[in-house]
Amino acid sequence: MDNDISKQIDKALECVKKKDWNGAIDLFTAVLEKEPTNAQIYNNLGLCYANSGNEEKAEKNYLKSIELNPKIPQAYINLVDIYYHQRRYGEGINILSYAIENLPDDLVFRHYLARFYIEDAKRDLAIDELEYILEKQPDNYDAYYDLGRVYFELGNYDSAIENFENILEYKKNNEWIYYYLGEAYQANDETEKALSNFLKAIATNNRFALAYKKAAILYMARGDFDDAIEYFEDYMNMDIPKEEKDNIQKIVERIKNKKK
């Protein structure tokens, strides 16, 4: 790489830091006129186009980068990010399969693939990928989370609970994990454990509105009306829609009338 090209790349990267996407595009394009087989520059150019809102050109540049050098991980990741939010799951699955073929030791691609399978309703294939990841990385709590959600959607609540519990070994005091555990225990007809986890979610984040509602419903179901009223009223003090607040108020009034 000659000195002039190196300077142009440095200028382009400075533009990227300043989020001057058009300036960076012009400079990277000029570099490609002199180095038309530079895969990394195509990836950089794709990223600039993506950030400037031109995903069509971004996609073309990522694909060119991969064509020239199928060993650049970031080009795949940038490309599948486009496919994911455009819901182009089939194309995402294909390119991730190609990434795994070329970079078999990079488990990030398997995790992306699992999430594409989940969105494409291919949950059994997602489970296979996630379990493979956990064989290699038993402390990967993101994989436990995705596996727990898949099992929950499949109605396998025992397995969902197991995976959510595994997360807490690595990520303690996470309100969302307590909440998902509460949902899984509730669906599995383990009311006391469900309530315990909703209360843990609240203890971790006392503004976690959904957990207040869930706890109130469980208190009401088991006849602890004072506690149900307390948690429903706390829930109504949260930032929730007026229609929801009105509906909860009616429930509270019915409970109070029942107590008379």
Side-chain angles (χ1 to χ4, degrees):
M1 184 183 296
D2 67 38
N3 195 46
D4 287 342
I5 292 175
S6 181
K7 286 180 179 178
Q8 278 186 306
I9 293 173
D10 288 342
K11 287 180 182 178
L13 293 174
E14 282 298 316
C15 287
V16 169
K17 288 180 183 177
K18 297 174 183 176
K19 298 185 179 181
D20 176 9
W21 307 118
N22 290 329
I25 287 168
D26 290 342
L27 288 162
F28 283 134
T29 301
V31 171
L32 287 173
E33 289 175 1
K34 298 175 183 177
E35 290 195 358
T37 60
N38 189 321
Q40 187 60 58
I41 297 300
Y42 276 106
N43 178 56
N44 291 346
L45 190 54
L47 191 61
C48 293
Y49 276 120
N51 280 293
S52 66
N54 192 333
E55 290 189 337
E56 183 178 352
K57 286 190 175 180
E59 179 186 355
K60 288 179 180 177
N61 280 279
Y62 295 144
L63 287 169
K64 186 64 176 178
S65 176
I66 292 167
E67 177 190 335
L68 290 168
N69 182 0
K71 303 287 188 181
I72 299 178
Q74 197 60 45
Y76 293 104
I77 292 170
N78 291 338
L79 179 57
V80 297
D81 279 344
I82 290 176
Y83 289 155
Y84 190 85
H85 78 75
Q86 290 184 352
R87 300 174 184 264
R88 295 163 63 184
Y89 302 129
E91 290 167 274
I93 288 167
N94 288 339
I95 201 69
L96 285 165
S97 299
Y98 185 64
I100 290 167
E101 180 183 327
N102 285 283
L103 297 160
D105 296 328
D106 196 332
L107 295 180
V108 169
F109 297 124
R110 290 189 178 273
H111 207 152
Y112 270 93
L113 183 57
R115 288 177 173 171
F116 271 80
Y117 280 142
I118 291 168
E119 296 297 335
D120 206 30
K122 296 175 180 174
R123 295 183 180 88
D124 289 343
L125 293 175
I127 289 170
D128 289 343
E129 295 298 333
L130 292 166
E131 288 183 342
Y132 180 90
I133 292 167
L134 288 168
E135 285 177 11
K136 303 290 185 180
Q137 295 179 339
D139 59 348
N140 189 324
Y141 56 80
D142 285 331
Y144 283 121
Y145 167 80
D146 285 331
L147 197 52
R149 295 303 294 168
V150 172
Y151 278 127
F152 184 86
E153 290 170 8
L154 289 171
N156 186 341
Y157 303 123
D158 285 331
S159 293
I161 289 165
E162 179 184 352
N163 281 281
F164 290 139
E165 292 282 9
N166 284 337
I167 297 172
L168 293 174
E169 293 184 22
Y170 307 101
K171 200 176 180 75
K172 298 184 185 299
N173 297 326
N174 183 290
E175 64 265 34
W176 278 105
I177 301 306
Y178 287 132
Y179 181 81
Y180 291 136
L181 264 171
E183 284 192 316
Y185 276 121
Q186 185 178 6
N188 211 35
D189 295 323
E190 298 181 72
T191 301
E192 293 305 314
K193 288 183 178 179
L195 180 57
S196 173
N197 277 282
F198 291 135
L199 293 176
K200 286 177 183 177
I202 293 167
T204 305
N205 177 1
N206 64 9
R207 300 301 299 170
F208 193 177
L210 291 174
Y212 282 95
K213 182 179 181 180
K214 288 282 192 177
I217 289 169
L218 290 180
Y219 276 129
M220 183 173 65
R222 74 179 194 181
D224 293 340
F225 297 124
D226 288 337
D227 287 328
I229 291 169
E230 177 186 344
Y231 279 85
F232 274 135
E233 288 179 340
D234 287 339
Y235 175 59
M236 286 189 290
N237 288 327
M238 305 287 175
D239 184 17
I240 60 174
K242 183 179 184 305
E243 183 180 358
E244 170 75 347
K245 191 172 292 190
D246 291 342
N247 289 334
I248 297 300
Q249 183 61 52
K250 290 174 184 176
I251 294 172
V252 169
E253 288 171 1
R254 284 201 298 270
I255 295 171
K256 289 179 177 179
N257 288 333
K258 182 181 279 191
K259 286 182 61 187
K260 289 179 180 178

